[in-house]
């Protein structure tokens, strides 16, 4: 008998098992559960009544039950449960990645707000509500578009310094910087939420 014959026999066995499984699935399933099965409390009460009828005490039955042994592995599983180590490792890696400063600096902003055309007070209140909403949603990086001040009345831009002051005063905001030109350059500021 060579390896090819062994493979053919194995293939035939697999086909037979599939046929048997199909035939078994065609037969209707019958439930063997009683219609009004007793609850665990009712079973315990019946057991106590049976012991009393036999003349044995409940304490004697408890001693007898205490002598029974349990599989140590089953006992350990009952006590400590099962944890998915792969899932825990993935969650840890994701947390570590989110905490990495370099990753946060290079990631794209998850939300943005445009403050063009607003006064200093309007921009401050909108920025406050925007940041609070982002914190509530669990975002890590936001983009604030404030413009370069080309249309400001007077010589100095209004919103850029206001945004800088806002970031410095808000305890929930961390490091910040300006994105590249495609995302606004010096007319926008990205901020990492702590």
């Amino acid at each position: 008998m060579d390896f090819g014959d062994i493979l053919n026999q194995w293939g035939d066995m697999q086909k037979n098992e599939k046929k048997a499984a199909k035939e078994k699935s065609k037969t209707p399933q019958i439930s063997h559960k009683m219609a009004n099965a007793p609850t665990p409390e009712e079973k315990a009460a019946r057991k106590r009544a049976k012991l009393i009828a036999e003349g044995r005490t409940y304490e004697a039955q408890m001693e007898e039950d205490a002598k029974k042994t349990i599989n140590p592995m089953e006992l350990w599983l009952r006590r400590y449960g099962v944890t998915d180590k792969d899932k825990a490792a993935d969650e840890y890696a994701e947390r570590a990645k989110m905490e990495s400063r370099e990753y946060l600096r290079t990631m794209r902003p998850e939300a943005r707000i445009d403050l063009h055309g607003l006064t200093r007070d309007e921009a401050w209140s909108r920025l406050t509500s925007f940041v609070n909403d982002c914190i509530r949603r669990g975002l890590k990086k936001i983009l604030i578009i404030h413009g370069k001040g080309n249309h400001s009345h007077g010589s100095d831009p209004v919103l850029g310094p206001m945004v800088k002051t806002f970031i410095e005063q808000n305890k929930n905001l961390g490091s910040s910087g300006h994105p590249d030109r495609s995302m606004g350059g010096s007319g926008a500021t990205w901020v990492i939420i702590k």
Side-chain angles (χ1 to χ4, degrees):
M1 178 180 275
D2 63 345
F3 189 68
D5 294 335
I6 294 172
L7 286 176
N8 289 336
Q9 284 181 351
W10 183 74
D12 292 339
M13 287 174 42
Q14 295 294 323
K15 288 178 186 175
N16 291 338
E17 287 177 7
K18 286 182 182 178
K19 279 184 184 178
K22 281 185 180 179
E23 289 175 6
K24 185 178 179 183
S25 66
K26 289 180 182 177
T27 59
Q29 295 281 334
I30 299 171
S31 174
H32 299 287
K33 187 175 178 181
M34 292 176 29
N36 292 321
T39 64
E41 292 83 18
E42 292 172 339
K43 287 181 181 178
R46 286 183 189 167
K47 189 175 182 180
R48 275 188 240 115
K50 182 179 175 186
L51 290 174
I52 292 171
E54 292 175 359
R56 294 171 37 196
T57 64
Y58 188 68
E59 289 79 17
Q61 182 63 35
M62 285 178 51
E63 288 177 17
E64 187 178 311
D65 288 344
K67 292 177 184 175
K68 293 180 184 175
T69 60
I70 187 169
N71 180 356
M73 182 63 76
E74 184 178 337
L75 177 66
W76 191 90
L77 288 173
R78 284 184 190 173
R79 185 174 296 161
Y80 300 110
V82 179
T83 57
D84 187 357
K85 292 181 180 179
D86 293 331
K87 182 180 177 186
D90 290 344
E91 289 174 356
Y92 175 77
E94 185 67 25
R95 267 196 318 271
K97 186 168 80 170
M98 290 304 280
E99 291 172 359
S100 166
R101 286 182 175 224
E102 192 57 38
Y103 173 75
L104 289 173
R105 287 177 189 233
T106 58
M107 78 181 279
R108 295 185 59 80
E110 299 171 302
R112 65 185 68 221
I113 185 171
D114 191 347
L115 303 176
H116 279 105
L118 300 177
T119 64
R120 184 178 289 136
D121 294 333
E122 291 171 339
W124 191 278
S125 65
R126 287 226 186 131
L127 207 50
T128 303
S129 62
F130 174 72
V131 168
N132 290 337
D133 182 52
C134 290
I135 292 168
R136 183 184 54 79
R137 291 171 39 202
L139 303 181
K140 289 291 182 187
K141 187 174 183 181
I142 59 173
L143 182 68
I144 303 167
I145 301 169
H146 47 74
K148 297 179 183 178
N150 295 339
H151 305 289
S152 294
H153 302 293
S155 61
D156 294 332
V158 176
L159 295 178
M162 186 277 306
V163 168
K164 184 178 178 185
T165 305
F166 180 84
I167 293 169
E168 291 170 354
Q169 291 181 2
N170 193 319
K171 63 179 170 48
N172 296 313
L173 300 179
S175 60
S176 62
H178 296 293
D180 58 356
R181 296 190 80 178
S182 65
M183 296 188 70
S186 62
T189 304
W190 57 262
V191 183
I192 294 176
I193 300 175
K194 293 181 185 176

